[in-house]
């Protein structure tokens, strides 16, 4: 597979990661489709193992999301900017504290946004709990899964 094809797959994965944070965009399926395309274009055993792992992770994350309370993010409490803070915090946490840092990074991004918006610690913590109860936990599960898949793909491209 050429450099341009790998770059295109990486861009689709990045679009999928951003799509997880946007409502009505199938972010996790874009990430999976990019890995599928890469595995079909570059039929090596490592590519197929990454595809199998990505499929298993996506199915597991869907099961976890279905087990969570069926709530949607309310349009009055969440903004795209708050989701951008959460996504940036998650990405930063994923890189700084490998893999597991994505979860506190996501929470920290929401907390930072709410702290700047509301001003007080107690209000920001209450708003963070509200966001997680109204659907933020489902976004966290899906984003974390997509980050794991993206990291596996990147590792396979670099070292495989």
């Amino acid at each position: 597979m050429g450099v341009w094809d790998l770059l295109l797959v990486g861009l689709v994965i990045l679009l999928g990661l951003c799509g997880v944070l946007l409502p009505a965009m199938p972010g996790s399926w874009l990430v999976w489709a990019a890995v599928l395309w890469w595995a079909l274009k570059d039929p090596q055993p490592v590519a197929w193992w990454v595809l199998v792992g990505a499929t298993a992770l996506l199915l597991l994350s869907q099961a976890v999301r279905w087990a969570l309370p069926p709530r949607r993010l309310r349009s009055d409490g969440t903004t795209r900017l708050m989701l951008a803070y959460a996504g940036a915090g998650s990405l930063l946490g994923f890189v700084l504290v490998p893999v597991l840092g994505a979860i506190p990074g996501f929470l920290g991004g929401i907390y930072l946004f709410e702290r700047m918006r509301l001003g007080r610690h107690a209000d920001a913590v209450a708003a963070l709990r509200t966001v997680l109860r109204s659907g933020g936990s489902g976004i966290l599960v899906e984003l974390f899964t997509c980050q794991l898949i993206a990291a596996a793909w990147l590792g396979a491209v670099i070292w495989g």
Side-chain angles (χ1 to χ4, degrees), residues 96-158:
L96 291 178
V97 180
V99 181
L100 293 179
I103 297 167
F106 183 86
L107 300 175
I110 295 173
Y111 172 80
L112 178 64
F113 176 79
E114 295 295 343
R115 179 72 189 252
M116 289 185 335
R117 185 174 71 93
L118 299 172
R120 292 181 18 158
H121 170 72
D123 294 339
V125 170
L128 173 64
R129 275 194 223 117
T130 302
V131 167
L132 288 177
R133 286 184 187 137
S134 68
S137 56
I139 290 176
L140 174 61
V141 168
E142 189 174 356
L143 182 63
F144 184 65
T145 302
C146 288
Q147 287 174 339
L148 286 175
I149 293 169
W153 172 79
L154 189 61
V157 167
I158 291 174

Side-chain angles (χ1 to χ4, degrees), residues 4-16:
W4 292 109
D5 290 334
L6 288 174
L7 184 63
L8 190 57
V9 170
L11 286 174
V12 172
I13 288 174
L14 185 62
L15 178 67

Side-chain angles (χ1 to χ4, degrees), residues 32-51:
W32 182 81
V35 172
L36 174 67
W37 181 35
W38 168 69
L40 290 174
K41 294 275 282 180
D42 190 15
Q44 295 180 0
V46 69
W48 289 104
W49 283 111
V50 170
L51 178 63

Side-chain angles (χ1 to χ4, degrees), residues 44-86:
Q44 295 180 0
V46 69
W48 289 104
W49 283 111
V50 170
L51 178 63
V52 167
T55 304
L57 276 174
L58 277 178
L59 291 175
L60 181 66
S61 82
Q62 291 300 317
V64 168
R65 287 189 68 201
W66 287 327
L68 293 173
R71 297 179 181 158
R72 297 281 181 197
L73 286 175
R74 296 184 195 112
S75 60
D76 58 309
T78 60
T79 63
R80 291 182 195 259
L81 186 60
M82 185 201 63
L83 291 174
Y85 269 78

